[in-house]
Every structure is written in C-alpha cells, then in structure tokens.
C-alpha cells in the first residue's frame, strides 16, 4: 500500500504484530532460555527490506527491525547468557498467504515464469524454511549467531530475468569472438 493511503493504524498494526511481537516473545522466553542447555531464538524476517520495495513500507520497516533485534539479541544475550539469536529471511514460499501462490501475490504472479523471478527456477516450500530452522537447532548450526540467513533461491537480487535475457546474447558474442581469435591467431586471447 502506498504511504499516502496507509493509515497510521495500519502501519502501527504491522509494526505491532511483527516487530513488537518479536520483542515480546523474546523477552517472555528469556527465563526459559536461560535454563536451556542450548538456547536458541529463531526469528522469521523477509528480504523485502533489503532494497526499496514499493507498497511495502509497513512490512519492510517491521522486518528491518526484526533483523536488528536478531543481531542485537545475538550479541547481548549471547554474551550474557549464551543464547543464540538467528533470523531466517524467506523469499517466495509457495502455499503461504504472502507467497507466490497465496492470496496476496498469487494472481499477479500466476502467468509469470518462475525462472524470471527465482534464479534456481522454483518457488520455495515451507520445508525449505523448516529444514534451516532444524539445522540451526543442531550442533551443526551451533556457531551461527546474530545473523539473518536468506532462503530465497537468489530471488532478492532481482536479477534472474535480466540474466535470462542477456545470457544468450553474451554467450553468442563470446563464441563469435573465440571463432575470430582462432581464425586469426589460432589461440583464444580473451573471453567475456
């Protein structure tokens, strides 16, 4: 929603649910986390705050705040109590309300080629997020702290479509250059 159309209450609601909710749950869980032998907080963030995202000022602001809470608690509570705090930033996850097949963006994305949006050519699945959370809770992930990990197949870079458009042209140009180099000197002198 455009800022001029977003009410103060609407902005406040998203900040309250996402950012204030993260704060409240973290603080409420502190006593139990202090008693745990392997305490871990896993916050769910997003990638939309990594660059300007029109119509998402409320959600992007909240998610940016969650990333800072994750970093700060990882340092403070890691130092004081040995509590790790790690964020997971999902990209387009199928089967979720805000995902590529959900009610928010589903109709907009239904006719688009997923390869133009996600470099690896598929939407994420909820198990992609769950498996990372599981990894973080095992000894294998025990040295990860105060960090947000992106799980989006390369989506947030917003470069998949440009690569798919430019790649055939650049490969053909490189092949022509190689052929020219081979015909004039017998050696390949450079590549793009």
């Amino acid at each position: 929603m455009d800022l001029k159309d977003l009410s103060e209450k609407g902005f406040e609601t998203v900040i309250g649910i996402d950012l204030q909710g993260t704060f409240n749950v973290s603080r409420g869980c502190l006593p139990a986390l202090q008693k745990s032998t392997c305490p871990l907080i896993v916050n769910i963030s997003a990638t939309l705050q990594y660059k300007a995202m029109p119509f998402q000022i409320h959600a992007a602001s909240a998610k940016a705040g969650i990333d800072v809470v994750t970093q700060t608690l990882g340092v403070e509570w890691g130092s004081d109590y040995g509590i790790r705090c790690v964020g997971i930033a999902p990209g387009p996850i199928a089967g979720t309300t805000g995902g590529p097949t959900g009610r928010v963006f589903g109709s907009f994305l239904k006719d688009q080629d997923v390869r133009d949006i996600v470099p690896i050519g598929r939407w994420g699945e909820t198990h992609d997020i769950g498996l990372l959370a599981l990894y973080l809770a095992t000894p294998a992930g025990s040295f990860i702290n105060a960090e947000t990990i992106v799980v989006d197949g390369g989506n947030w870079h917003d470069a998949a479509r440009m690569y798919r458009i430019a790649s055939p042209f650049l490969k053909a140009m490189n092949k022509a250059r190689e052929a020219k180099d081979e015909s004039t000197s017998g050696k390949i002198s450079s590549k793009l």
Side-chain angles (χ1 to χ4, degrees), residues 44-68:
I44 302 299
S45 182
T47 58
L48 53 94
Q49 71 276 17
Y50 294 168
K51 59 183 179 238
M53 184 60 65
F55 312 112
Q56 294 292 316
I57 193 168
H58 51 321
S61 298
K63 298 304 186 179
I66 291 171
D67 288 350
V68 173

Side-chain angles (χ1 to χ4, degrees), residues 60-90:
S61 298
K63 298 304 186 179
I66 291 171
D67 288 350
V68 173
V69 167
T70 297
Q71 295 165 359
T72 303
L73 287 183
V75 171
E76 289 180 2
W77 288 3
S79 298
D80 289 346
Y81 313 115
I83 298 170
R84 293 184 304 120
C85 189
V86 183
I88 297 176

Side-chain angles (χ1 to χ4, degrees), residues 7-140:
S7 70
E8 186 176 320
K9 183 67 174 166
F11 186 84
E12 188 178 284
T13 297
V14 173
I15 295 294
I17 292 168
D18 289 2
L19 182 54
Q20 186 72 44
T22 299
F23 170 84
N24 291 342
V25 170
S26 297
R27 192 169 63 174
C29 291
L30 179 59
L33 290 166
Q34 288 175 302
K35 295 175 187 173
S36 176
T37 57
C38 53
L40 169 66
I41 296 171
V42 177
N43 291 324
I44 302 299
S45 182
T47 58
L48 53 94
Q49 71 276 17
Y50 294 168
K51 59 183 179 238
M53 184 60 65
F55 312 112
Q56 294 292 316
I57 193 168
H58 51 321
S61 298
K63 298 304 186 179
I66 291 171
D67 288 350
V68 173
V69 167
T70 297
Q71 295 165 359
T72 303
L73 287 183
V75 171
E76 289 180 2
W77 288 3
S79 298
D80 289 346
Y81 313 115
I83 298 170
R84 293 184 304 120
C85 189
V86 183
I88 297 176
I93 305 297
T96 62
T97 300
T101 59
R103 71 169 174 81
V104 178
F105 298 108
S107 61
F108 171 72
L109 295 173
K110 71 178 178 180
D111 295 325
Q112 295 193 35
D113 188 335
V114 68
R115 296 171 303 163
D116 286 341
I117 300 167
V118 181
I120 64 170
R122 71 172 178 88
W123 302 123
E125 300 290 337
T126 53
H127 71 265
D128 293 319
I129 306 309
L131 289 172
L132 175 57
L134 179 63
Y135 168 79
L136 292 169
T138 68

Side-chain angles (χ1 to χ4, degrees), residues 116-179:
D116 286 341
I117 300 167
V118 181
I120 64 170
R122 71 172 178 88
W123 302 123
E125 300 290 337
T126 53
H127 71 265
D128 293 319
I129 306 309
L131 289 172
L132 175 57
L134 179 63
Y135 168 79
L136 292 169
T138 68
S142 66
F143 200 57
I144 299 171
N145 183 41
E147 188 62 59
T148 297
I149 301 170
V150 175
V151 182
D152 76 342
N155 167 258
W156 87 265
H157 297 287
D158 201 21
R161 185 170 188 271
M162 180 57 72
Y163 177 80
R164 284 176 30 91
I165 290 169
S167 181
F169 171 75
L170 292 174
K171 287 177 181 178
M173 209 167 83
N174 191 38
K175 190 172 183 177
R177 177 173 283 161
E178 287 176 359

